[in-house]
Amino acid sequence: MQPRIAIVYFSSSGVISQVAEHLAEGATAQNADVRVRALGAPGENPAPGAGRPVEPTLDDLDWADGLLIGTPTWFGNVAAPLKAFLDTTSPLALHGRLADKPVTGFTSASLPNGGQEAALLALYHTMFHWGSLIVPTGYTHPVLRRVGGNPYGLSVTAPDSGALTADQIEAARFVGGRIVRMARQHGPVGLHAVRDLWSADLPVRPVGTLAVVDSRRA
């Protein structure tokens, strides 16, 4: 089985985008099919030749067997652009399309006590409603202690140089590989497990709960 992993994030300073890059490396090393999707930062000027980030869609979430979702820590909370995207996921969530998928969050802040744990816990509120399987980092690798010891998900303190440290890179690669292993052990949800949470005898589905196109493999 080749797990399909979607990495979806918003990055305001570039730190989260660096983390996402190394998460993808770790997932790819475990033979995953990886999609990296970034919400564009307002006013952000991409590097020459880099182009604008590929924006995430609901199909990216539906396609994936495992998810890595990242946000900078904004006042101990989820960044507004990412939260706005997550708030569009009702068509998937209400039809059980995100249930039982392994999900790990990742974040960064400028200070070690800048609200990183609070941001991850706030992020997971959405995943609770999805019915996803939240995969915390715990202390599953020694490097996680060296980068701060946050057991709720991967978090890094933004380095003064702007570039991630060797430990932060190693931690990201480990977490990227771990979500692949979790997805492989769990197996794909599959169409047989899709649930429609609105009763079939309802004459009209409430606005905002339209069915989505099935794109998962059987």
Side-chain angles (χ1 to χ4, degrees), residues 6-163:
I7 302 172
V8 176
Y9 70 89
F10 171 75
S11 182
S12 57
S13 67
V15 174
I16 286 293
S17 63
Q18 291 182 64
V19 175
E21 175 185 349
H22 296 298
L23 287 167
E25 291 171 353
T28 301
Q30 292 292 323
N31 195 35
D33 186 2
V34 181
R35 288 184 186 178
V36 180
R37 299 291 186 259
L39 292 152
E44 180 179 325
N45 294 316
R52 290 289 176 185
V54 177
E55 295 281 332
T57 67
L58 296 187
D59 183 66
D60 293 317
L61 301 181
D62 189 41
W63 167 88
D65 298 313
L67 299 167
L68 290 155
I69 300 181
T71 176
T73 294
W74 282 9
F75 299 105
N77 217 320
V78 179
L82 179 65
K83 182 60 166 61
F85 172 70
L86 296 178
D87 285 346
T88 71
T89 59
S90 290
L92 294 176
L94 292 174
H95 295 286
R97 306 295 298 188
L98 300 172
D100 302 334
K101 291 191 182 189
V103 181
T104 294
F106 60 100
T107 191
S108 69
S110 59
L111 296 171
N113 293 316
Q116 298 173 16
E117 291 185 354
L120 288 169
L121 292 174
L123 174 66
Y124 290 149
H125 290 170
T126 298
M127 285 86 236
F128 292 144
H129 285 262
W130 290 352
S132 301
L133 302 179
I134 295 172
V135 181
T137 54
Y139 302 110
T140 50
H141 191 289
V143 74
L144 296 171
R145 292 181 180 272
R146 298 200 298 270
V147 298
N150 184 347
Y152 302 105
L154 177 62
S155 69
V156 302
T157 301
D160 293 336
S161 67

Side-chain angles (χ1 to χ4, degrees), residues 144-212:
L144 296 171
R145 292 181 180 272
R146 298 200 298 270
V147 298
N150 184 347
Y152 302 105
L154 177 62
S155 69
V156 302
T157 301
D160 293 336
S161 67
L164 298 185
T165 67
D167 279 344
Q168 290 170 338
I169 291 171
E170 183 182 356
R173 288 173 176 167
F174 169 75
V175 171
R178 186 166 185 258
I179 198 71
V180 176
R181 292 191 292 274
M182 295 299 104
R184 184 175 283 119
Q185 290 174 17
H186 183 60
V189 174
L191 293 175
H192 66 281
V194 172
R195 291 168 293 283
D196 188 342
L197 303 188
W198 294 99
S199 173
D201 59 4
L202 285 177
V204 179
R205 294 184 187 280
V207 174
T209 63
L210 298 178
V212 295

